[in-house]
């Protein structure tokens, strides 16, 4: 694993036994924490990774977590309005098709790992990862997630850290890690958004019609009647 002191900034060869774990006095292994750096927008991540590139810490293993909207390169899925569902369907292979980009993901994550091993690793942004993904025909979305395993610093939008569902999906574990929130005064709005849901009046009317049908045909009436009442009151 990478050294605690960045070898490329000191100009020294890294110690042979230097790794992500260090020994505690009682002999247990103590993990070196990751830094999770949360920003409000994806654009800010690009700015911060550019700044990182200009520092002596540019060689530190990193990754950027972002949505498929920014990182999917599949010709059909990337042009769809519902990329998440289409991606999951492809990976499940329900239509007898699969995603060749997903199956080549190791090409991309290993490419970065090789750079890191030879210490020519450089901070990168989403555009760099996507253009390399296109060149290698490998999925940037899943490569970024794989790179999180060895990353010392993980950049992501706020909601990846605040929303428990996203944390679970992305396998983000914050216990004993360092969390930095840029422009933290925006946190309240972001927290509200992650537990809010918007519906249109036409969606409510459509739901009420379906619930009317259920109730009138005695289909699980006791479950559907209270739902219909909520729909009616909202309308």
């Amino acid at each position: 694993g990478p050294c605690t002191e960045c070898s490329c900034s000191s100009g020294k060869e890294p110690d042979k036994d230097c790794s992500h774990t260090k020994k505690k006095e009682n002999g247990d292994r103590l993990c070196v924490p990751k830094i999770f750096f949360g920003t409000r927008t994806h654009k800010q991540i690009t700015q911060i990774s550019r700044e990182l590139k200009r520092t002596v810490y540019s060689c530190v293993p990193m990754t950027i977590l972002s949505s498929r909207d920014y990182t999917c390169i599949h010709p059909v899925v990337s042009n769809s309005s519902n990329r998440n569902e289409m991606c999951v369907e492809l990976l499940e292979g329900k239509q007898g098709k699969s995603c060749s980009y997903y199956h080549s993901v190791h090409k991309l994550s290993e490419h970065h790992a090789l750079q890191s091993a030879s210490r020519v690793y450089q901070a990168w942004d989403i555009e760099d990862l996507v253009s390399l993904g296109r060149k290698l025909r490998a999925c940037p979305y899943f490569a970024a997630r794989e790179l999180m395993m060895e990353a010392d610093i993980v950049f992501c939008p706020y909601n990846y850290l605040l929303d428990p569902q996203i944390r679970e999906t992305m396998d983000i574990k914050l216990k004993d890690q360092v969390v930095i929130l840029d422009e933290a005064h925006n946190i309240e709005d972001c927290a509200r958004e992650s537990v809010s849901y918007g519906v249109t009046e036409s969606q409510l009317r459509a739901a009420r019609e379906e619930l009317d049908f259920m109730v009138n045909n005695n289909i699980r009436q006791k479950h559907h009647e209270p739902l219909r009442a909520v729909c009616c009151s909202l309308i």
Side-chain angles (χ1 to χ4, degrees):
C3 292
T4 315
E5 183 190 358
C6 182
S7 56
C8 59
S9 64
S10 63
K12 296 176 196 162
E13 286 293 311
D15 296 334
K16 292 277 190 292
D17 62 345
C18 186
S19 71
H20 252 66
T21 55
K22 52 189 177 188
K23 281 215 168 111
K24 283 165 92 175
E25 281 166 29
N26 61 4
D28 288 344
R29 305 295 280 178
L30 177 71
C31 271
V32 176
K34 290 185 193 298
I35 298 170
F36 284 89
F37 196 113
T39 67
R40 195 166 52 87
T41 63
H42 282 86
K43 195 176 177 183
Q44 282 166 317
I45 295 176
T46 301
Q47 291 166 347
I48 291 161
S49 64
R50 277 187 198 141
E51 289 301 313
L52 181 64
K53 205 179 278 190
R54 292 165 57 186
T55 72
V56 293
Y57 301 104
S58 180
C59 63
V60 169
M62 57 159 284
T63 193
I64 299 172
L65 301 179
S66 63
S67 68
R68 290 175 175 88
D69 293 353
Y70 293 88
T71 49
C72 177
I73 58 171
H74 188 283
V76 179
V77 179
S78 61
N79 291 311
S80 155
S81 59
N82 201 344
R83 294 178 187 88
N84 289 343
E85 275 186 23
M86 274 196 80
C87 174
V88 171
E89 277 176 21
L90 262 186
L91 298 188
E92 285 174 353
K94 283 179 180 172
Q95 311 291 321
K97 295 176 186 170
S98 190
C99 178
S100 60
Y101 297 90
Y102 172 75
H103 294 295
S104 302
V105 76
H106 61 280
K107 289 183 194 171
L108 194 47
S109 50
E110 282 166 15
H111 187 280
H112 276 288
L114 284 170
Q115 281 189 317
S116 184
S118 56
R119 300 203 311 284
V120 293
Y121 198 89
Q122 270 241 307
W124 46 269
D125 61 30
I126 295 172
E127 285 173 15
D128 297 330
L129 189 69
V130 168
S131 63
L132 184 59
R134 289 187 197 283
K135 203 184 292 181
L136 300 173
R137 296 183 64 79
C139 175
Y141 174 76
F142 283 102
R145 286 175 64 169
E146 265 189 27
L147 286 166
M148 182 167 63
M149 297 288 290
E150 296 299 321
D152 284 352
I153 183 161
V154 178
F155 297 102
C156 58
Y158 289 156
N159 57 334
Y160 282 52
L161 304 175
L162 297 177
D163 190 318
Q165 277 186 307
I166 299 178
R167 279 205 309 271
E168 194 179 333
T169 305
M170 303 297 275
D171 203 26
I172 295 171
K173 295 177 177 65
L174 297 180
K175 186 174 167 56
D176 299 327
Q177 311 292 13
V178 177
V179 176
I180 299 171
L181 298 170
D182 190 29
E183 295 186 4
H185 57 271
N186 295 303
I187 285 298
E188 285 183 4
D189 287 343
C190 189
R192 267 194 294 271
E193 276 171 31
S194 69
V195 289
S196 301
Y197 184 72
V199 288
T200 62
E201 189 181 338
S202 60
Q203 286 172 323
L204 283 171
R205 290 189 186 282
R208 188 185 65 184
E209 279 175 26
E210 287 184 22
L211 289 163
D212 276 340
F213 176 82
M214 298 290 195
V215 172
N216 297 337
N217 288 281
N218 293 326
I219 301 167
R220 287 166 63 189
Q221 221 166 347
K222 67 171 194 250
H223 294 116
H224 290 126
E225 269 183 333
L227 285 173
R228 181 174 67 171
V230 170
C231 266
C232 291
S233 67
L234 287 171
I235 291 165

